[in-house]
Amino acid sequence: MNRKTLALSAVIGLLAPVLAGCGGSDGGSDGGDAIVVGTTDQYIATPEGPAPLDPAFAYDTGSWNVLRQTIQTLMHVPRGGGAPVPEAASRCGFTDRENESYRCTLREGLKFSSGDPLTVEDVKYSIQRVLDIKDPSGVSGLLSNIDTMETNGDSEIVFHLKSPDATFPYKLSTPPAGIISRKSYDPKKLREGFGVDGSGPYTFKAEVKNDTVVKAIFTKNPEYKGDLSLQNNKVELVPFKDADDMGTALDSGDIDVMTRAMTPEQVQGMIDNPKENIQLTEMPGLEIRYLAFNTDAPVAKEKAVRQAMAYTIDRGQLVTKVYGAMAEPLYSPIPSSVATHTNSFFNKYGDANPAKAAQVLEDAGISTPVKLTLDYTTDHYGEATVKEFETLREQLNSSKLFDVTIKGEEWSVFRPNQTKREYAIYGMGWFPDFPDPDTYVGPFFDKDNFLNTPYNNPKLRNQLIPQSRREADRSAASKTFAEIQDIVADEVPVLPLWQGKQYVAARDDIARVEWAVNSSAELQLWELRRGTSAPSD
């Protein structure tokens, strides 16, 4: 049959969820063959990053997508969105009105895939290990608000927090809070290579060549006890160097599903010219792209330069020229589909106003053209990134206010350099850690942040961010988030560019594709099923 384009309108968390429900029956796939999924994510062990799949190190979407299949967390966000629900836990909840003490009770009979029993001491060990290692990747920042952990017997653990945090259940659903086997992970050192041992829905095996994963094999874990229902027995994840090779593999039947990152040309081509036996599914996305600034660097430390760039860049033209229907302009670090979003950057700068940019630079006594280098990663966010930075260079240079050079590096080089603050201005993408506006604020502006940025606004860090986390009713924090966004727009430590949609292409004998990737770009491989129909929920 011809390919159909499906639009899944479910949006998670604060995004007014439309679809919800539990996973289907646990009967496995209709066929015995592994479902093969393609990706352009790369898994490479390097001297700077020798442990790409260690929960104490990994802080990128590709690595998290491996860990989510294999390492269990106490909580997880249900596939239809909304508040987190117990996964390895049987129940969890705050024990006080201030949201400073959080208690979880484990499910009975939990085991690691090795058959070893899993207790709350393993939970405590796993989380303490992340905090003790405190890797420069910034992933430990998600758990840094934990003050102490108290265990009672084999099944109960209480987290005492340093300050109130209504988002803590979400943070317990992320891979750094995953439960790992003490036999396989040193308490103070990262686990090098590609081994992963946990109690999640799948066991994991990597086929490796030249320190690079060429195939990731997920096999149903017979010891798994949790909230997820597996629709298949085996999935193979195959990394491709580029989206064209991945598309060729889908056309030939070498893979069954094509995930991130498809190119805009591929998506538009499949819309305009439907392919026999291939289905394209459109899903909402919470991905954002932005420029970030090392506010200690000679040029980037000048607020007037950052503001002038905000005045000059034309997001609408950038999106139209590079991404088409796959993206839309973004005027805040918080996506427009999140209830607390405000158009703070548009309200202050509009789009493409070089005259005002020139005035800002003149008032600050900055001579033009301002020489800038924009650094970006060539292989992590999709092939269109190169064209995106060529377009940004063209926009900035055509204003005659800037003299821009662009420079691309592979992610294995780019990310270590970025965390070491070797770039003054650089391009980044962000997929949310969890579906709450805090995930677009804390990782950028709080202490121990993902960017390792020197930017520190005391009001943001010491007053507004903690204040936003006190509100159990997240909509009650809207005023606080609005003030945060206005401060960011004024000081421009980051410059939002666009937010994206997601597309997955699959052969039409694969069912439940619409659930295989959520709006946070998290792979949920257990949802895939071979067969044209799936069990009812």
Side-chain angles (χ1 to χ4, degrees):
M1 70 179 183
N2 286 333
R3 187 275 303 140
K4 299 177 182 177
T5 301
L6 305 178
L8 180 66
S9 57
V11 188
I12 59 178
L14 290 178
L15 315 185
V18 177
L19 295 176
C22 60
S25 81
D26 199 15
S29 187
D30 287 345
D33 295 338
I35 296 173
V36 184
V37 177
T39 179
T40 57
D41 287 324
Q42 301 294 309
Y43 307 95
I44 305 171
T46 66
E48 296 82 9
L53 299 181
D54 191 314
F57 169 84
Y59 206 180
D60 65 272
T61 301
S63 297
W64 274 25
N65 278 336
V66 170
L67 295 175
R68 289 186 188 278
Q69 322 304 314
T70 52
I71 294 180
Q72 225 174 347
T73 49
L74 291 171
M75 304 289 285
H76 81 106
V77 176
R79 72 176 193 191
V85 297
E87 212 306 64
S90 61
R91 61 182 182 273
C92 287
F94 283 105
T95 63
D96 62 334
R97 293 184 178 181
E98 289 75 28
N99 296 331
E100 286 186 303
S101 182
Y102 195 77
R103 177 186 291 123
C104 287
T105 303
L106 290 184
R107 294 177 184 267
E108 292 184 4
L110 287 178
K111 295 180 181 180
F112 291 106
S113 58
S114 63
D116 293 334
L118 187 159
T119 73
V120 289
E121 292 300 329
D122 296 297
V123 177
K124 182 178 179 180
Y125 176 89
S126 301
I127 291 176
Q128 189 62 55
R129 177 178 178 271
V130 173
L131 295 171
D132 288 344
I133 291 176
K134 198 178 179 180
D135 191 83
S137 69
V139 71
S140 64
L142 283 165
L143 305 174
S144 61
N145 195 32
I146 296 173
D147 187 14
T148 60
M149 291 177 281
E150 172 189 352
T151 60
N152 300 314
D154 289 337
S155 62
E156 186 176 275
I157 185 167
V158 181
F159 300 93
H160 300 288
L161 307 182
K162 298 173 185 176
S163 60
D165 187 1
T167 71
F168 188 67
Y170 286 105
K171 292 169 182 174
L172 286 182
S173 73
T174 63
I179 309 164
I180 46 120
S181 168
R182 282 179 278 182
K183 290 183 177 180
S184 302
Y185 294 82
D186 188 280
K188 304 290 186 180
K189 295 191 302 183
L190 294 174
R191 179 179 178 179
E192 297 186 6
F194 301 100
V196 182
D197 290 283
S199 57
Y202 295 101
T203 61
F204 173 76
K205 179 182 178 182
E207 294 183 5
V208 180
K209 183 178 181 180
N210 298 327
D211 295 322
T212 301
V213 173
V214 295
K215 182 184 291 185
I217 302 168
F218 300 94
T219 304
K220 183 176 180 180
N221 177 12
E223 303 290 353
Y224 171 70
K225 292 184 179 180
D227 191 54
L228 306 174
S229 295
L230 277 68
Q231 299 295 312
N232 58 69
N233 295 318
K234 189 174 184 180
V235 178
E236 295 176 355
L237 186 66
V238 180
F240 289 86
K241 275 293 186 181
D242 58 58
D244 287 339
D245 286 349
M246 181 167 61
T248 299
L250 181 69
D251 291 342
S252 66
D254 290 338
I255 64 173
D256 300 300
V257 182
M258 180 163 65
T259 58
R260 47 168 279 154
M262 299 172 65
T263 66
E265 291 79 12
Q266 281 178 320
V267 171
Q268 194 61 51
M270 295 179 75
I271 293 172
D272 295 341
N273 300 292
K275 294 184 177 183
E276 195 75 22
N277 302 321
I278 292 177
Q279 173 179 288
L280 180 69
T281 303
E282 176 190 316
M283 293 167 284
L286 295 175
E287 172 190 9
I288 68 169
R289 297 286 177 86
Y290 58 96
L291 294 176
F293 298 87
N294 175 356
T295 52
D296 280 348
V299 176
K301 71 180 179 182
E302 300 292 344
K303 184 169 81 168
V305 170
R306 305 194 302 267
Q307 289 181 327
M309 291 178 67
Y311 272 121
T312 304
I313 289 172
D314 186 336
R315 294 169 180 80
Q317 192 229 25
L318 175 69
V319 166
T320 300
K321 186 172 182 178
V322 181
Y323 292 101
M326 290 184 69
E328 60 184 55
L330 179 63
Y331 298 95
S332 164
I334 300 175
S336 61
S337 44
V338 176
T340 56
H341 165 89
T342 64
N343 280 323
S344 52
F345 275 80
F346 184 82
N347 296 339
K348 186 170 179 66
Y349 304 103
D351 262 337
N353 195 331
K356 286 192 175 181
Q359 190 63 54
V360 166
L361 293 171
E362 182 180 341
D363 291 346
I366 297 173
S367 299
T368 58
V370 180
K371 288 192 175 184
L372 305 175
T373 298
L374 305 186
D375 289 276
Y376 65 96
T377 174
T378 56
D379 63 338
H380 194 64
Y381 299 120
E383 295 168 51
T385 306
V386 176
K387 187 176 180 180
E388 176 180 349
F389 275 79
E390 290 172 346
T391 303
L392 288 171
R393 177 182 61 190
E394 179 184 332
Q395 288 185 358
L396 291 166
N397 286 349
S398 66
S399 73
K400 308 300 183 183
L401 300 173
F402 300 95
D403 180 4
V404 174
T405 300
I406 60 174
K407 183 181 179 183
E409 298 275 10
E410 291 187 354
W411 180 253
S412 59
V413 175
F414 175 87
R415 176 60 172 153
N417 286 347
Q418 180 269 313
T419 57
K420 290 184 285 188
R421 301 181 182 174
E422 293 189 8
Y423 304 136
I425 307 171
Y426 51 94
M428 293 289 286
W430 183 249
F431 297 87
D433 296 330
F434 47 85
D436 185 275
D438 181 78
T439 195
Y440 295 95
V441 173
F444 304 121
F445 312 123
D446 205 357
K447 185 180 178 182
D448 301 324
N449 59 75
F450 162 73
L451 291 175
N452 191 30
T453 175
Y455 173 75
N456 179 9
N457 180 295
K459 186 174 184 180
L460 280 182
R461 188 170 290 183
N462 302 327
Q463 178 184 334
L464 295 177
I465 292 176
Q467 182 176 311
S468 73
R469 291 171 177 164
R470 292 190 186 101
E471 301 290 351
D473 177 1
R474 303 306 288 147
S475 62
S478 294
K479 184 177 179 181
T480 303
F481 280 116
E483 187 172 358
I484 290 171
Q485 290 167 90
D486 286 344
I487 290 173
V488 172
D490 179 63
E491 298 192 345
V492 201
V494 299
L495 179 52
L497 297 174
W498 57 267
Q499 70 179 81
K501 300 176 184 177
Q502 297 185 109
Y503 292 86
V504 176
R507 302 193 69 80
D508 61 8
D509 64 336
I510 303 297
R512 303 172 67 90
V513 173
E514 66 272 22
W515 296 116
V517 183
N518 67 18
S519 60
S520 298
E522 297 167 6
L523 281 181
Q524 300 173 143
L525 298 178
W526 55 85
E527 294 285 0
L528 293 171
R529 180 181 179 87
R530 190 175 296 281
T532 55
S533 63
S536 60
D537 293 341

